Amino acid sequence: MTTKQRAYLKGLAMNLDPVFQIGKGGLTTEYFDSVEEALEARELIKISVLKNCMEDPKELAFTIASHTDAEVVQVIGKKLVLYREARQPEKRKIVLP
């Protein structure tokens, strides 16, 4: 992903509300499945890490990304933004510059 594409996705993510939260329970297989479905439907998602989660948000972002074949767009504080192009061409909503 180029710097220009990442900047474009960051701009789109500013207006997004978090779709998922990560709490003290951490990450589970069901969680990865849910994120996978959300990425297929939306392509760009924001995840919030709750205060009671003791894991590092950057590590969580890269763990989720590796399990879902997504790319980490940004990690700011306890907010993660992930992007993955929809696998079916007719479901693609975001056109990268």
Side-chain angles (χ1 to χ4, degrees), residues 25-94:
L27 301 173
T28 63
T29 15
E30 293 82 18
Y31 189 85
F32 292 128
D33 293 341
S34 299
V35 170
E36 183 89 31
E37 289 175 21
L39 284 168
E40 188 61 33
R42 300 172 185 228
E43 294 183 313
L44 185 68
I45 62 170
K46 189 182 279 189
I47 300 172
S48 178
V49 180
L50 300 177
K51 290 179 183 177
N52 62 359
C53 181
M54 296 301 143
E55 297 179 51
D56 180 45
K58 283 188 180 182
E59 288 180 24
L60 290 170
F62 287 105
T63 302
I64 295 169
S66 68
H67 278 80
T68 58
D69 296 325
E71 292 193 50
V72 178
V73 175
Q74 69 180 354
V75 178
I76 296 180
K78 293 201 171 253
K79 302 279 190 231
L80 324 172
V81 179
L82 301 174
Y83 170 77
R84 186 185 75 201
E85 186 175 65
R87 295 198 166 119
Q88 298 175 359
E90 64 274 2
K91 287 189 176 182
R92 293 187 183 145
K93 298 175 183 174
I94 299 174

